[in-house]
Structures are given as C-alpha cells and as structure tokens.
Amino acid sequence: MNIGFVVNDVNTEKANYSTIFLAQRMHNAGHNVYLMGVGDLAYYPDGYMGATAIQADSKRKYKSGATYLEAVQGDKATKVRVTAPDLDVLMLRNDPSAEAEGRGWAQNAGIIFGQLALRHGVIVLNDPTSLSDAVNKMYFQHFPEAVRPRTLITRDKDEIKEFFNEQKNNIILKPLQGSGGSGVFMVKKEDATNLNQIVEAISRDGYVIAQEYLPQATEGDVRLLVMNGEALQYKGKYCAIHRVSGKDDIRSNLHAGGSTQAAKVTQTMLDLVELVKPKLIQDGMFLVGLDIVGDKLMEINVFSPGGLYDASELEGVDFSEPLMAALERKVHYKKTYGTQLDNKTVSMI
C-alpha cells in the first residue's frame, strides 16, 4: 500500500504524535509511507496533485517513533516527488487552526489538494469535501443537541451577558477558530467583572463561543477515538485516554499542560458515539476524536485526532493494528470497485 500523510510541517512533528506513531508502524509493516507538509504540496503541469515528500529508508525497520522521526527529519532522509497516481491513500493530518501567524495560506491547503487527489482515485481521509465545512468549531453544531452543552455563538457582548445570567453555573468562553485550548476562559458565576474584557479579547479574532460549564470538567475529559463510526477497539481495549488538566487550569489539552491516565469507557460514552455515528458516516469522517465530559461532547476533532500513541502505551495494545487493517481493507475495496464507490463510502467501510 502506498500512503501519504499530510501534516502541518514535517519538521515540527514529534515522536508521540499519532501521525508519526502510525507512519512508523506502517513503514515497518512494509508499506510505502510518504510524509509531506502542506508547504510541500504542489499541482504539476501533467494535471496531478503531488508533493515533494520525505521517506525513511525502506531497507530499515525502526524500533520507535523517535528513531523513525530522526530518520525523516535528518539529513539522510530521502526526498521524492510523489503524485496522485503513486498513492492509494492520502491521510490529511494537518490541523488548520494550528498554523502559525503568517501562514494563512496553509490553513486550507490540505483540503484543497486533497480534493484534487480525489479526481485520480486516491482514497482521501478524512473526506476533504466534508473537512472544508469543519474548519472551525461551528461544525460541532451540526450534531444533535442531545450530545452538546448549551451553547451561544455570537460577537454581541449583551447576548453573552444575558446567556451568562441565565446559567445556573459558570460559563466557558472560547474563540470559534482555534484548537488546543488556546484562548479558553472560565467565567465564574460570582465574578462577572471580567466578562466584557474577555469577550472583547476573544472577539477581536472573530466569533465567541459561550458554553455552559459542566462541573465534571474538574475531573478532566476523555478523548475517545472513533474509526468508521465505531469506538476504536482492539483486543478488548478501547482507544481512549483520560486527560486531566494542570493545577489551576481548566484546559485538559496535553500541550496546554494536561496529563494522561488510563480511561474508563462507559456505556454513556458509547451511547454518545451512537448518536454522532450517522453524521460521521454521512460526512466520510473515518477517524475522529471525541472529547467527552460527563454525558456531553465538548468537541469533535476531525482533522488530526491525537491519542493513538498514548492509548497504546496506557492500554498495552497497539491500536495502529486495527487502523492499518482498516486502511488495507479500503484499498482492496477501492481497487475492486473503482469509481463505483465514492470517497465518502470508501471512507467508512
């Protein structure tokens, strides 16, 4: 199988990232793995999208994500031009909201080039036509109200103040754009003096999300990976991690100071998966991360869901195995049916 991984920048990847974990495992399994940043993508005169991609030594197997990453980031890494006809699968693992200032051009690049790859029969995951609708947190509002906290999205300070007064508890304020816990604030019920100031700061960059505060958030959240619309499971273990926020920090995101521990996946969590499953199937969202607090979803990460490596370490099973098997199965179906199967269908079988 020939598979390409699109990331924000190959040089900023880390050994414990899910992309590197999966790429290393697939390389060791004998698949041709290509890593490419969004800045490496191109459209060539012959009508194909492609990239100047990086490959590790095909004659070597790597003991860990760290040694594999050293190989692809080092001076001896092989650079090769790869185009759509060379690929069976293209996995879009770049996060538009994680792009640094001055790289606005990069935010939609993976989606745009992914859509071009579809024309030549490449399986693109997650489906790029649906990803274009998910570039901000508004996508979350397309899922059933039963799975979401009570939410207001606006730039009007008075509306946010009214929403705040209606709530029995604290509220969370965060930007519509962005991820990783950036710009997330909790306004406590007994202290509304900073509300206007916080709203003004967030609204400079766009819309503000005002959300009811779930008291269970003090215990952190659970990141549960969902594949093909089902909770990812292997050898009786679920691919999930319990993320706990740092001291005096409401954010449980790992790069915002949170830590991980083994997660207990409950029937309530599995019921949430069932409720979002139809929409995920409709949109061709092959691999997503659900962030769960209590009986609600706080976020659905459809771009670069992490947790694969951490869950594998915590649970003692290699969750890249069922992922690889699923990708191999999709390639088999695509080669068998050709253009009879559209990308969204292949994404979810």
Side-chain angles (χ1 to χ4, degrees):
M1 178 167 58
N2 300 314
I3 182 167
F5 290 94
V6 178
V7 297
N8 292 70
D9 186 333
V10 175
N11 291 320
T12 60
E13 288 293 293
K14 295 182 180 180
N16 63 343
Y17 283 6
S18 294
T19 304
I20 297 302
F21 176 70
L22 182 57
Q24 178 248 336
R25 293 296 201 271
M26 294 192 72
H27 172 92
N28 284 359
H31 298 295
N32 293 316
V33 178
Y34 303 92
L35 289 176
M36 57 199 83
V38 290
D40 302 318
L41 297 169
Y43 180 83
Y44 297 113
D46 57 7
Y48 296 126
M49 69 73 60
T52 301
I54 296 177
Q55 263 193 309
D57 188 345
S58 60
K59 297 178 182 178
R60 282 190 59 192
K61 291 190 176 183
Y62 298 90
K63 292 182 179 180
S64 66
T67 55
Y68 175 78
L69 188 64
E70 185 179 344
V72 296
Q73 289 180 341
D75 296 334
K76 295 182 180 180
T78 301
K79 290 189 175 182
V80 56
R81 175 182 284 193
V82 59
T83 59
D86 302 318
L87 296 172
D88 296 308
V89 178
L90 184 66
M91 289 200 74
L92 303 179
R93 296 283 305 172
N94 62 300
D95 183 354
S97 63
E99 289 295 349
E101 189 175 344
R103 278 174 57 96
W105 57 268
Q107 292 185 335
N108 293 319
I111 294 170
I112 294 167
F113 283 95
Q115 290 172 349
L116 289 172
L118 292 179
R119 298 192 311 181
H120 301 287
V122 182
I123 301 170
V124 184
L125 306 169
N126 291 333
D127 183 78
T129 54
S130 294
L131 286 180
S132 64
D133 296 327
V135 290
N136 60 49
K137 295 185 179 74
M138 190 68 81
Y139 178 70
F140 189 34
Q141 308 310 311
H142 290 279
F143 288 84
E145 287 186 24
V147 307
R148 298 184 274 112
R150 184 169 161 77
T151 300
L152 167 70
I153 301 175
T154 183
R155 298 187 78 247
D156 189 309
K157 285 186 289 186
D158 292 332
E159 288 181 343
I160 294 174
K161 191 176 295 184
E162 183 180 345
F163 178 82
F164 174 71
N165 292 331
E166 289 173 356
Q167 302 308 304
K168 295 179 181 179
N169 212 315
N170 313 324
I171 66 167
I172 299 295
L173 297 177
K174 55 188 176 182
L176 183 61
Q177 302 281 140
S179 69
S182 176
V184 179
F185 299 88
M186 179 171 69
V187 182
K188 295 183 178 180
K189 201 65 180 173
E190 66 271 16
D191 182 20
T193 55
N194 294 324
L195 182 62
N196 282 347
Q197 186 178 353
I198 294 172
V199 172
E200 285 177 7
I202 297 174
S203 62
R204 287 192 197 109
D205 296 320
Y207 287 90
V208 179
I209 297 177
Q211 204 168 61
E212 71 169 313
Y213 174 71
L214 302 177
Q216 301 98 318
T218 56
E219 302 166 7
D221 68 3
V222 170
R223 161 62 61 86
L224 175 61
L225 286 180
V226 173
M227 182 183 77
N228 287 336
E230 305 280 353
L232 179 53
Q233 196 176 177
Y234 188 53
K235 294 184 176 179
K237 303 288 184 70
Y238 285 103
C239 187
I241 55 175
H242 183 187
R243 305 185 301 184
V244 183
S245 58
K247 187 179 179 181
D248 300 324
D249 196 331
I250 61 170
R251 303 170 299 172
S252 54
N253 306 77
L254 300 186
H255 48 284
S259 59
T260 63
Q261 53 189 243
K264 180 183 178 181
V265 176
T266 65
Q267 187 59 48
T268 298
M269 296 176 186
L270 297 178
D271 290 343
L272 286 174
V273 175
E274 281 299 307
L275 285 174
V276 300
K277 179 178 178 178
K279 175 68 172 169
L280 296 177
I281 291 175
Q282 181 184 58
D283 291 349
M285 296 299 184
F286 163 64
L287 184 66
V288 305
L290 304 185
D291 296 342
I292 303 170
V293 171
D295 61 352
K296 299 289 185 181
L297 290 177
M298 297 305 293
E299 194 169 335
I300 298 180
N301 188 317
V302 299
F303 280 98
S304 57
L308 197 64
Y309 170 82
D310 291 307
S312 296
E313 289 288 300
L314 288 166
E315 298 296 342
V317 299
D318 188 348
F319 287 110
S320 70
E321 292 289 337
L323 255 171
M324 273 193 283
L327 293 171
E328 290 166 353
R329 187 165 60 248
K330 293 177 195 302
V331 171
H332 172 71
Y333 285 136
K334 184 66 177 178
K335 288 182 176 179
T336 303
Y337 281 86
T339 57
Q340 295 180 62
L341 291 181
D342 63 23
N343 192 70
K344 287 181 181 178
T345 301
V346 177
S347 296
M348 304 305 291
I349 58 175

